[in-house]
Amino acid sequence: MPIGILISVRKRLGMEMRELAVVAGSFLAFHLLFFVLSPLLSSAVTPAYRRLPPSKLTEWNSRVVSTIHALIVGFFCLYILWFDDAVNMDPVWGDPKLVQINVAIACGYLLYDLVTVTCYWSTLGDGFFVCHHLAALYAYGYVLTRGVLPYFANFRLISELSTPFVNQRWFFEALSFPRSHTLVVANGVAMAVVFFLVRIAVMPAYYSRVVATFGTPAFHRLGLGAQTAWILSCICLDVLNTIWMYKITRGCYRVLTGYKTKSDQANSHND
């Protein structure tokens, strides 16, 4: 019996060390992207990058890192949703190994971003994002330390797939693209569509699975702390998502109608 306990503890400690290594590796890798790879890549892609003022250079590099993180975590999330049967069969206590790796990558990014925002507060400082990151780290801590709610934690990360379009909108503005430019309009429409699909349209499916767990033994095993962190964080995030969706829709509508009006004016002039 003592040998079995030791083996169990060793396995548990090894799992925690693995997750800690992923968090640390993610933290360092995103710093490397920010300070080294983003400037090199951005200079190669667009010469205008070098002409940006220092404040915009900092935010540019931050958004490049944000985009890369969103693509890694977002597509990993889709892979787990499609192919990880253990998590899909038992959303509360299913085997969390792959989800924990994905969440660890996200936590490394959140820690990197907190450090970066603190160091460049005059440029990147935003109290809302600090609170958001701290709340996310608190909720994800349950997944990393207890391995609970793997399906739901992973499902929330699908929202990251809308981030590249939001960042691309900022890149266009930094490069002084007019709002009527075809690329700007196309990105705005894609941003609105993807944001709706990954943050709003998924709500019924997500909350139907949440409600299905209520009253089950698996739900009661979570304890009040995990239950509270889970439900409250979901509600708060989705209230924000709904507000953001409204603002994005309004912005997209203005761009589309303005773009259409200018096109119509051009056609009328040609006639």
Side-chain angles (χ1 to χ4, degrees):
M1 184 69 175
I3 295 177
I5 294 175
L6 287 174
I7 292 174
S8 177
V9 171
R10 184 178 179 182
K11 287 182 178 179
R12 178 62 182 173
L13 183 60
M15 182 178 65
E16 290 176 353
M17 290 302 295
R18 179 201 65 188
E19 294 148 11
L20 182 61
V22 174
V23 172
S26 172
F27 177 81
L28 294 174
F30 287 125
H31 270 93
L32 179 65
L33 282 169
F34 178 82
F35 287 110
V36 180
L37 297 182
S38 175
L40 292 174
L41 178 64
S42 300
S43 298
V45 171
T46 172
Y49 168 81
R50 297 172 181 169
R51 298 194 292 269
L52 294 174
S55 60
K56 285 197 172 183
L57 283 175
T58 300
E59 186 164 0
W60 180 292
N61 293 331
S62 175
R63 287 181 179 272
V64 168
V65 177
S66 170
T67 296
I68 293 173
H69 160 261
L71 292 173
I72 293 172
V73 170
F75 283 113
F76 196 2
C77 166
L78 290 178
Y79 173 83
I80 294 171
L81 286 175
W82 289 336
F83 299 110
D84 194 333
D85 294 333
V87 168
N88 291 320
M89 291 290 292
D90 185 354
V92 181
W93 293 97
D95 184 0
K97 289 184 179 65
L98 287 180
V99 174
Q100 285 176 318
I101 293 174
N102 205 19
V103 168
I105 294 172
C107 286
Y109 169 78
L110 292 173
L111 291 171
Y112 140 81
D113 206 33
L114 284 173
V115 171
T116 305
V117 167
T118 302
C119 292
Y120 298 95
W121 186 262
S122 60
T123 301
L124 304 175
D126 188 328
F128 167 77
F129 281 106
V130 171
C131 293
H132 169 272
H133 286 9
L134 292 175
L137 287 168
Y138 172 72
Y140 288 147
Y142 281 98
V143 182
L144 293 178
T145 59
R146 293 182 56 191
V148 299
L149 302 167
Y151 173 87
F152 299 104
N154 185 68
F155 199 100
R156 301 303 310 193
L157 290 173
I158 197 175
S159 64
E160 290 295 332
L161 290 173
S162 64
T163 300
F165 298 97
V166 176
N167 288 335
Q168 187 59 49
R169 178 189 177 190
W170 185 92
F171 292 142
F172 283 139
E173 290 181 357
L175 295 174
S176 300
F177 275 61
R179 291 190 175 184
S180 59
H181 194 285
T182 303
L183 290 176
V184 177
V185 174
N187 180 75
V189 173
M191 178 178 69
V193 171
V194 175
F195 194 98
F196 174 77
L197 290 176
V198 301
R199 295 180 184 245
I200 305 300
V202 297
M203 284 185 188
Y206 179 82
Y207 282 104
S208 67
R209 295 212 68 172
V210 171
V211 172
T213 67
F214 290 172
T216 64
F219 181 80
H220 291 303
R221 282 177 58 198
L222 288 173
L224 183 60
Q227 293 169 356
T228 303
W230 173 30
I231 302 301
L232 287 183
S233 63
C234 288
I235 293 174
C236 291
L237 285 173
D238 285 329
V239 168
L240 290 173
N241 285 333
T242 303
I243 295 172
W244 288 334
M245 184 73 253
Y246 171 72
K247 292 182 177 180
I248 288 173
T249 303
R250 286 188 61 188
C252 185
Y253 175 78
R254 285 198 298 267
V255 170
L256 283 174
T257 53
Y259 180 68
K260 182 177 180 181
T261 299
K262 291 180 181 179
S263 299
D264 290 342
Q265 289 175 352
N267 292 332
S268 298
H269 180 73
N270 291 334
D271 292 338

